[in-house]
């Protein structure tokens, strides 16, 4: 909301509403564009939007101190085209944890993806501690995300 109020075009993509199929084997991922028929799911469209974006904000629920399977699948589906993603900045937002130091495992997963991109700029990390339900929008982390969005 903050980025939109600052005049930026914003699109939210909810992975739980998308259909993303797994790719099996690194060789298939490396050659997916050239040799395999396009999978009939939403990943290609989402990856195209990531390539076109100036800023990508990635958020995930945290299960057992790691990102959701949907987020990891999307990151894996970027493999064939990750060199085309030229974001000026990326931000990782990760809800919940009670034990914030353990959350570094989740953030390390996002950073592993960012490390593969050309010159990404990480703008910050917000831990959505206590945001257990969609309705938990009054949390301090939601205000922090709003303020960060205004500064993009």
């Amino acid at each position: 909301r903050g980025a939109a109020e600052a005049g930026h075009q914003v699109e939210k993509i909810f992975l739980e509403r998308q259909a993303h199929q797994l790719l099996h084997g690194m060789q298939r991922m490396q050659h997916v564009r050239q040799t395999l028929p396009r999978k009939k799911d939403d990943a290609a469209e989402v990856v195209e939007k990531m390539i076109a974006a100036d800023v990508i904000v990635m958020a995930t629920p945290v299960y057992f101190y790691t990102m959701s399977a949907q987020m990891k699948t999307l990151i894996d589906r970027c493999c064939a085209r990750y060199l085309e993603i030229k974001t000026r900045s990326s931000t990782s937002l990760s809800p919940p944890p009670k034990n914030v130091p353990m959350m570094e495992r989740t953030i390390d997963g996002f950073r592993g993806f960012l490390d593969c991109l050309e010159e990404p700029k990480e703008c910050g990390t917000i831990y959505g501690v206590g945001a257990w339900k969609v309705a938990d929008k009054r949390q301090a982390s939601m205000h922090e995300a709003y303020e960060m969005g205004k500064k993009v």
Side-chain angles (χ1 to χ4, degrees), residues 57-62 66-68 71-72 75 90-95 103-117 122 125:
V57 177
M58 301 177 90
T60 182
V62 175
T66 191
M67 68 180 70
S68 69
M71 180 63 72
K72 178 64 172 110
I75 289 171
S90 300
T91 304
S92 304
L93 290 82
S94 291
M103 292 308 301
E104 287 306 311
R105 294 178 193 169
T106 303
I107 301 306
D108 284 345
F110 284 118
R111 288 186 179 132
F113 175 61
L114 292 177
D115 286 345
C116 295
L117 306 181
E122 183 178 343
T125 301

Side-chain angles (χ1 to χ4, degrees), residues 25-89:
M26 184 55 86
Q27 184 177 20
R28 287 185 73 186
M29 285 192 282
Q30 290 173 347
H31 300 290
V32 70
R33 288 183 69 200
Q34 295 86 8
T35 63
L36 296 177
R38 178 174 262 185
K39 288 192 169 281
K40 295 184 188 226
D41 66 10
D42 301 313
E45 179 183 348
V46 175
V47 172
E48 285 290 339
K49 290 177 181 183
M50 292 171 74
I51 290 168
D54 290 327
V55 176
I56 299 171
V57 177
M58 301 177 90
T60 182
V62 175
Y63 304 116
F64 301 106
Y65 302 108
T66 191
M67 68 180 70
S68 69
Q70 293 91 337
M71 180 63 72
K72 178 64 172 110
T73 299
L74 177 64
I75 289 171
D76 288 347
R77 291 295 300 277
C78 291
C79 186
R81 302 191 63 196
Y82 74 93
L83 292 176
E84 297 175 61
I85 300 173
K86 311 270 190 220
T87 63
R88 286 184 288 162
S89 54

